[in-house]
Amino acid sequence: MSSLRKISILIFSLFIFFAARVSAQELIQALQIDSVVNKDGTVRITETMLYDFGNEQRHGIFRYIPYKKVNQDGKSYVMDITVEGVSDEKGNGYRYSVTKSGNDLTIKIGDPDKTVSGQHIYIISYRVNGSLTYFDTYDEFYWNGIGSGWDIPINLVRAEVNFGQSFGEGELDGVCYTGLEGSTNKECAVDKLHNGVTFTTNKVNPGEAFTFAVKFPKGYAAVLEPAEDKPSTVQLILMALAGIVAASFYVFLPIFLLIKWLREKKHVRDTARIVAAWFSPPKTADGEALTPVETVITADVTAGNKAVPATIISLAQRGYIKITQKEKKEFIFSKTEKPEDDLLRQYEKDIYTAIFSEDAIEVSTKKLSKNEKFGVAGTSLASEAADYLKKTGVFKSNPVNTSGGYLALSIMSFFTGNIFLAAVSFILGRKSPKRPDSGIQTYSEAVSLKNFLVSQDPQFDFQAQEMMFFEKLLPYATAFGVEDVWIKRFKDLFNTNPEWYRGDDFTRLVVLNSIVNSSYHSASASSRSSSGFGSGFSGGSSGGGGGGGGGGSW
């Protein structure tokens, strides 16, 4: 019997002492998950569970584990999972079979000719290739110790991740998540040692998950990426048939898209009432004012490249953040006493929370470039803003996703030689998300506001007498990328800075926008692994790692 198994059983015996009790309900009294990260890049996992069948007469249990995982770009990869054995606490082997179906590997344990009831211990050992993720400055094991597929409660869970050597102080870090899939709750304890990290949680209810991640130094484990999920022969045949069908639309599809775009454009042109100037943020049909990034998407379909800095300036202008110019190319964001409220959109809350993560009171733009949570929040901002526009009836579908789909079609068409379709998709398709009649008035206001912000017409100079007016529309000018024009128009007002800005020269705010964008892109890049998988430490959640699945009895 291996030393790891002896340790597992010893620890598990303590679990039994505290957790085991007679129960009429089928459940798992305790579960111990031992993971060893090997230097060859593999991970050996041993699950020791005290399964209580209660009064039920069953043959045994089954355990299924997803062997495929999808990265942040939607690309599927395959982990190689090898089951090494299933036994009881005395080392006696159980009868079991291993099958693959869909995306899952299923381990069926028990004898169809015998039934069991009450409490039994099952020790399942398996080795995983491709479960590690590799980042620029660290590597990570991000795993769903318990997936959301269990229909029975698990009373007590302990997970331990060990390494073949000891590390220095602070070189290992751990985080864990509990609750329904996607939850960021952390109702679990983390105990960091020199050669491993331990996670514990008291109870996992049916349908919930328990996920943990361990960050460890680069160079310890060999790079062993999961294999790309290549299509099977049947899938290749279906793809070939799809290609034949697609070829038949080589001419008809671009013509269809062209006609569709012309009809939509004519409908908007005939319905919209665009004026030379509009002096306030556009509103939805329900009278809800749009944020800067929502306004840009409404007018131009895409969010542009200033969505993140525009959102930050909007938060500052509304009293949630103070901006201080520290050096020529460095700024400080400070948290104000104003609490978050329901007036903020979820993506605004995400940006705010990411900036001041770990209860920080202030943060520099330099430090922000290393903040992975900030990168994740910035990456999802445009799509979440577009979801809000769909929800409120400004668009019929998510315009950012629709535009992205046409861009992907354009790229694919270009590389397959369909230049006509590529041009139509890129030039017209990306601008063709449908707007309901209720959203065309909002579109009219957004375009009219843009006209005013970019205008140099002297007849609008009367508006440049109000500092409050300048502050109100500054985030919108930033989102449209014309903040330099807007600041120049109001330059005579800069005897004093706005309450939310501290610095010698307010016009340096234009520099801030490029710095924030640089920080956001740097942070976004650092939150992706070499295969495009996210980190459990930035944007991590319950059920967000590899493995997981579930099980039950049969």
Side-chain angles (χ1 to χ4, degrees):
M1 183 180 293
S2 68
S3 59
L4 173 63
R5 181 167 295 183
K6 290 178 181 177
I7 294 172
S8 297
I9 294 174
L10 176 61
I11 295 173
F12 197 72
S13 298
L14 296 176
F15 278 13
I16 296 173
F17 180 78
F18 289 107
R21 54 188 174 274
V22 177
S23 173
Q25 176 190 9
E26 187 172 328
L27 52 80
I28 295 176
Q29 293 283 13
L31 174 61
Q32 166 84 19
I33 305 165
D34 290 293
S35 305
V36 178
V37 179
N38 299 311
K39 292 188 176 182
D40 62 0
T42 65
V43 179
R44 187 174 187 273
I45 300 174
T46 301
E47 298 178 355
T48 305
M49 67 178 72
L50 174 58
Y51 201 102
D52 192 342
F53 296 94
N55 297 327
E56 298 291 334
Q57 295 291 323
R58 313 295 284 169
H59 298 288
I61 66 170
F62 65 91
R63 169 82 170 93
Y64 68 88
I65 309 167
Y67 64 91
K68 293 184 180 181
K69 58 179 182 176
V70 179
N71 70 6
Q72 292 175 315
D73 300 320
K75 196 171 183 179
S76 179
Y77 288 81
V78 178
M79 297 182 295
D80 181 17
I81 300 178
T82 303
V83 179
E84 297 184 332
V86 181
S87 68
D88 61 16
E89 71 279 14
K90 297 178 181 178
N92 300 317
Y94 281 110
R95 180 175 177 178
Y96 71 94
S97 63
V98 179
T99 57
K100 283 186 177 181
S101 177
N103 297 332
D104 298 322
L105 178 146
T106 300
I107 309 167
K108 189 176 182 181
I109 307 167
D111 190 334
D113 298 324
K114 298 179 180 179
T115 59
V116 294
S117 63
Q119 297 178 355
H120 294 265
I121 291 178
Y122 294 88
I123 302 174
I124 306 171
S125 298
Y126 54 95
R127 185 180 297 268
V128 186
N129 293 7
S131 61
L132 302 181
T133 43
Y134 305 89
F135 297 89
D136 291 338
T137 57
Y138 63 91
D139 295 336
E140 182 178 303
F141 178 50
Y142 184 22
W143 195 252
N144 303 320
I146 297 175
S148 59
W150 287 99
D151 294 328
I152 59 174
I154 303 174
N155 280 345
L156 185 63
V157 183
R158 184 180 187 275
E160 185 169 330
V161 180
N162 285 293
F163 297 83
Q165 68 178 58
S166 296
F167 294 97
E169 188 71 28
E171 288 190 297
L172 291 180
D173 198 7
V175 65
C176 52
Y177 302 95
T178 58
L180 297 175
E181 191 166 320
S183 168
T184 56
N185 291 338
K186 297 180 180 179
E187 296 180 6
C188 48
V190 181
D191 184 19
K192 289 178 279 188
L193 307 173
H194 288 297
N195 66 335
V197 183
T198 300
F199 309 90
T200 55
T201 187
N202 287 331
K203 187 169 184 178
V204 179
N205 293 313
E208 294 182 343
F210 173 56
T211 298
F212 52 86
V214 175
K215 182 189 296 186
F216 57 94
K218 293 195 71 64
Y220 167 79
V223 176
L224 185 61
E225 301 276 16
E228 186 177 344
D229 187 13
K230 295 183 179 179
S232 64
T233 303
V234 174
Q235 290 173 320
L236 288 173
I237 294 173
L238 292 176
M239 290 171 64
L241 292 175
I244 295 172
V245 173
S248 67
F249 286 96
Y250 194 89
V251 176
F252 296 110
L253 182 57
I255 292 176
F256 168 77
L257 291 177
L258 179 60
I259 295 173
K260 175 177 175 287
W261 180 81
L262 290 173
R263 285 179 177 175
E264 180 66 16
K265 186 173 179 62
K266 182 178 184 302
H267 175 66
V268 172
R269 185 178 64 245
D270 294 345
T271 310
R273 296 293 182 265
I274 298 173
V275 296
W278 190 266
F279 306 123
S280 61
K283 296 182 178 179
T284 66
D286 295 332
E288 183 76 23
L290 298 187
T291 66
V293 63
E294 292 164 1
T295 300
V296 173
I297 295 173
T298 299
D300 298 336
V301 177
T302 58
N305 62 358
K306 296 287 184 70
V308 174
T311 300
I312 292 175
I313 292 175
S314 177
L315 289 170
Q317 186 264 326
R318 286 182 283 166
Y320 295 96
I321 297 174
K322 283 195 175 182
I323 302 174
T324 302
Q325 176 190 345
K326 185 178 180 182
E327 298 174 2
K328 188 175 181 180
K329 290 188 176 181
E330 186 174 3
F331 293 79
I332 300 293
F333 297 142
S334 303
K335 183 186 292 187
T336 66
E337 294 182 358
K338 184 173 182 178
E340 294 182 48
D341 54 44
D342 293 337
L343 297 178
L344 292 181
R345 306 280 197 264
Q346 184 58 50
Y347 58 85
E348 292 178 315
K349 292 181 181 179
D350 292 342
I351 285 286
Y352 179 86
T353 303
I355 292 174
F356 301 110
S357 60
E358 300 179 357
D359 297 325
I361 302 300
E362 64 177 32
V363 62
S364 67
T365 50
K366 186 180 295 184
K367 185 176 181 181
L368 208 57
S369 65
K370 301 176 182 179
N371 185 334
E372 297 171 358
K373 292 182 179 179
F374 180 63
V376 172
T379 301
S380 61
L381 188 150
S383 180
E384 291 182 9
D387 271 336
Y388 178 83
L389 294 174
K390 173 188 174 183
K391 178 182 176 181
T392 53
V394 178
F395 287 91
K396 289 186 175 180
S397 62
N398 182 310
V400 170
N401 292 349
T402 301
S403 177
Y406 277 113
L407 178 60
L409 177 61
S410 174
I411 295 172
M412 181 191 72
S413 302
F414 178 80
F415 283 105
T416 55
N418 194 344
I419 306 303
F420 186 21
L421 179 57
V424 171
S425 301
F426 183 78
I427 299 172
L428 306 180
R430 294 189 308 128
K431 298 290 185 180
S432 65
K434 285 190 175 182
R435 308 172 191 266
D437 291 341
S438 61
I440 293 180
Q441 175 59 31
T442 307
Y443 165 77
S444 302
E445 295 174 7
V447 175
S448 299
L449 176 62
K450 180 181 180 181
N451 290 341
F452 170 58
L453 292 173
V454 302
S455 174
Q456 302 280 353
D457 195 327
Q459 68 174 314
F460 299 131
D461 284 350
F462 73 93
Q463 297 287 356
Q465 300 173 6
E466 294 287 342
M467 187 67 177
M468 185 179 298
F469 181 78
F470 163 78
E471 288 188 57
K472 178 182 178 182
L473 293 186
L474 175 61
Y476 294 85
T478 301
F480 278 113
V482 294
E483 68 276 15
D484 52 343
V485 175
W486 190 246
I487 290 176
K488 183 178 180 181
R489 183 185 295 178
F490 286 81
K491 65 181 183 299
D492 294 336
L493 292 179
F494 299 149
N495 295 323
T496 59
N497 290 329
E499 183 180 346
W500 48 269
Y501 184 87
R502 299 167 185 162
D504 298 333
D505 186 359
F506 186 70
T507 60
R508 299 299 301 172
L509 199 65
V510 177
V511 180
L512 169 68
N513 296 329
S514 62
I515 294 173
V516 168
N517 263 350
S518 176
S519 299
Y520 144 62
H521 287 300
S522 297
S524 177
S526 68
S527 66
R528 290 172 60 89
S529 69
S530 54
S531 294
F533 293 98
S535 169
F537 291 82
S538 58
S541 63
S542 182
S553 64
W554 64 282

